[in-house]
Amino acid sequence: MLLAIDVGNTHTVLGLLDGAEVVEHWRIATVAGRTADELAVVVQSLLRQHPALGADEDIAGIAVCSTVPAQLLEMRDLCRRYYSTVPTLVVEPGVKTGIPVLTDNPKEVGSDRILNALAAVHLHGGPAIVVDFGTATTFDAVTSRGEYVGGAIAPGIEISVEALGTRGAQLRRVELARPRSVVGRNTVEALQSGIIFGFAGQVDGIVDRMARELASDPDDVTVIATGGLAPLVLEESSSIDAHEPWLTLHGLRLAFERNHPTA
């Protein structure tokens, strides 16, 4: 099986893939300063929970991407020290993905965004827009030829809620849940309305503008949602066509297969 690890700014998602199937997954906090040895304790304890894994030898490959440079260094050390005989792929600039990156500076595009584009093209074809609801809400545009051409980055849902609670003297953190109606009858529901419906409106607005730039017929563009917070706005957005919660993990698998075809 392939162990895929997606290190994000807030959370790290780990997945076990048997072919194209995600058979197990875990989400842990991304902790700045966590060492390779500490990561090994966490990773190995999680792997032991899966009944299909009898031993570390059952891991046939490891694929890693990270938006946190310091943690990427530790992930490299983890693979080197604890899985030295396992084929490993660290996705970074220069790694073959099959996705042409047509931006002003391709090296500054996050590896997770390229992997999302790769998986989106593989699963749904192009043109496509990937909306990733993470620490930031990112929008990534892929042409009909499978080219990554750029995107947009907006503050994420949790970041916005935290900022509102910090800067608003009479406001507080609330549960991220759909309120009874758009017109909130109390402060909690008013905040929930602004968060849930506000972000859904943001998604629909940006997707509409982006789709008109991507294709002569915007209806030809497939809009794919991913990321841990995607379920919050799925039912409120009119533009999302598909929900792929493990899109980055599938991208890691596809990149691994391209770089280690015999593993």
Side-chain angles (χ1 to χ4, degrees):
M1 278 188 269
L2 175 71
L3 173 61
I5 305 175
D6 171 23
V7 183
N9 289 294
T10 304
H11 294 114
T12 295
V13 177
L14 304 93
L16 272 179
L17 291 92
D18 187 0
E21 181 185 1
V22 179
V23 296
E24 186 59 279
H25 56 84
W26 303 274
R27 183 182 298 270
I28 63 175
T30 299
V31 179
R34 183 177 274 170
T35 68
D37 296 323
E38 292 171 317
L39 286 167
V41 171
V42 174
V43 170
Q44 292 179 340
S45 64
L46 291 173
L47 292 176
R48 290 191 194 102
Q49 296 179 24
H50 188 70
L53 279 177
D56 287 346
E57 288 75 17
D58 292 331
I59 300 296
I62 301 174
V64 180
C65 70
S66 176
T67 58
V68 185
Q71 283 296 284
L72 186 59
L73 179 66
E74 297 300 329
M75 280 291 175
R76 288 182 194 277
D77 198 25
L78 162 70
C79 294
R80 179 181 58 82
R81 295 188 59 193
Y82 293 89
Y83 298 95
S84 59
T85 62
V86 177
T88 299
L89 174 70
V90 176
V91 180
E92 56 191 340
V95 169
K96 295 182 294 182
T97 62
I99 296 291
V101 182
L102 308 183
T103 59
D104 291 342
N105 185 1
K107 291 184 178 181
E108 71 182 8
V109 181
S111 58
D112 57 331
R113 301 177 73 181
I114 304 303
L115 292 169
N116 283 347
L118 172 62
V121 170
H122 177 79
L123 295 171
H124 298 279
I129 297 171
V130 177
V131 187
D132 190 346
F133 296 89
T135 305
T137 301
T138 60
F139 301 78
D140 295 305
V142 188
T143 69
S144 59
R145 296 181 295 276
E147 302 158 331
Y148 179 90
V149 291
I153 303 174
I157 296 175
E158 287 188 336
I159 284 179
S160 299
V161 173
E162 290 174 3
L164 196 60
T166 301
R167 300 296 294 271
Q170 293 184 300
L171 302 178
R172 59 186 185 275
R173 291 288 300 272
V174 298
E175 179 187 3
L176 292 175
R178 190 186 194 279
R180 292 177 295 177
S181 62
V182 179
V183 180
R185 303 301 176 89
N186 53 62
T187 301
V188 170
E189 289 188 346
L191 284 166
Q192 291 173 331
S193 176
I195 294 163
I196 303 301
F197 301 123
F199 273 93
Q202 179 194 70
V203 168
D204 292 340
I206 293 178
V207 162
D208 176 67
R209 291 170 180 264
M210 198 172 282
R212 284 190 270 120
E213 291 187 14
L214 265 179
S216 55
D217 184 356
D219 290 337
D220 291 339
V221 180
T222 303
V223 181
I224 305 153
T226 191
L229 299 176
L232 290 173
V233 298
L234 283 176
E235 295 184 4
E236 314 307 330
S237 169
S238 61
S239 60
I240 294 173
D241 299 310
H243 178 215
E244 299 286 355
W246 312 122
L247 195 66
T248 313
L249 299 184
H250 285 298
L252 282 165
R253 172 183 63 84
L254 293 165
F256 181 86
E257 290 172 353
R258 178 176 288 269
N259 288 269
H260 294 281
T262 60

